[in-house]
Amino acid sequence: TIGIFLASIGDARKFLPASWGCSDCGTGLDEISGGGAGSEAEFIKWTMGITMLLCVQITQATLGHTQAVFYKKFSNQGTRDELADEYLFTAHICSLGVIMLLWEDISTSAILAWNTEPLHPLLPIPRRMCWVILNNFTQLACIKGVFRLSANYSPLTVNVTLSVRKFLSVVLSAVWFGNPWTNLHSIATVLIFGGVFAYSNCPKPVEAPPPEKKKE
């Protein structure tokens, strides 16, 4: 938790206006970004994004516990993987109603994607539509893996795994796309992966013995 917090603060440094004080303060950001401070509007956008991610984390944790109750209640109806697939199907069907509220934006984006140049003369498929299709396949593999994971492990293990996956995307963005990397990100890396290592080596809790049946 502390590692993720430090990583978020490390990202926020580049948005702090100069009038708010030091824009680097030992984070190493000046060496990367040239010492320029972002505008207050950009910082407000960043704050809104962090707030949305916090809400998503809370919702995700709640969903994890809901799934755990679901799997325990209906464990006699099928295997864990079968229940995970059914939960995945039901969750996506229920979300279609909410998605329909964004139909105008979706249709506009679909038209723009369809009007892009073809991928290849021998493959006359719009380039952006190919990326959309590829993204759907990767999302399918990702979300299916998450639901299978939640069906077989505790909500805490699932949330730790997802948090590490999200932080790995931050590391990849810094390596692949050249996004800023500060000293706070380095400290966050040690804390996050160190915490995961410690969690993975924790002894398993002792299960309570089943209650003894009373003899008649």
Side-chain angles (χ1 to χ4, degrees), residues 16-76:
L16 291 177
S19 60
W20 289 21
C22 176
S23 62
D24 179 53
C25 301
T27 61
L29 186 59
D30 282 343
E31 299 175 359
I32 300 172
S33 60
S39 65
E40 185 174 350
E42 290 176 333
F43 179 72
I44 293 175
K45 289 181 180 179
W46 176 88
T47 304
M48 292 175 61
I50 291 296
T51 303
M52 293 173 66
L53 287 175
L54 179 61
C55 294
V56 169
Q57 286 290 95
I58 296 174
T59 305
Q60 176 182 294
T62 304
L63 178 61
H65 286 283
T66 304
Q67 288 175 308
V69 173
F70 172 85
Y71 295 131
K72 184 176 181 180
K73 182 177 181 180
F74 299 101
S75 58
N76 60 339

Side-chain angles (χ1 to χ4, degrees), residues 118-188:
L119 186 65
H120 191 273
L122 300 177
L123 190 63
I125 301 176
R127 181 181 299 272
R128 193 170 294 179
M129 289 301 297
C130 291
W131 286 112
V132 171
I133 295 172
L134 179 61
N135 180 69
N136 274 274
F137 277 110
T138 56
Q139 288 290 333
L140 174 62
C142 175
I143 195 65
K144 193 177 183 69
V146 170
F147 274 75
R148 292 288 181 93
L149 182 70
S150 64
N152 293 280
Y153 295 94
S154 68
L156 178 57
T157 300
V158 174
N159 278 286
V160 169
T161 304
L162 296 181
S163 297
V164 172
R165 184 195 67 179
K166 292 170 184 175
F167 185 73
L168 284 175
S169 67
V170 175
V171 176
L172 182 62
S173 71
V175 175
W176 189 267
F177 300 106
N179 287 328
W181 184 269
T182 68
N183 293 337
L184 288 179
H185 285 98
S186 300
I187 298 173

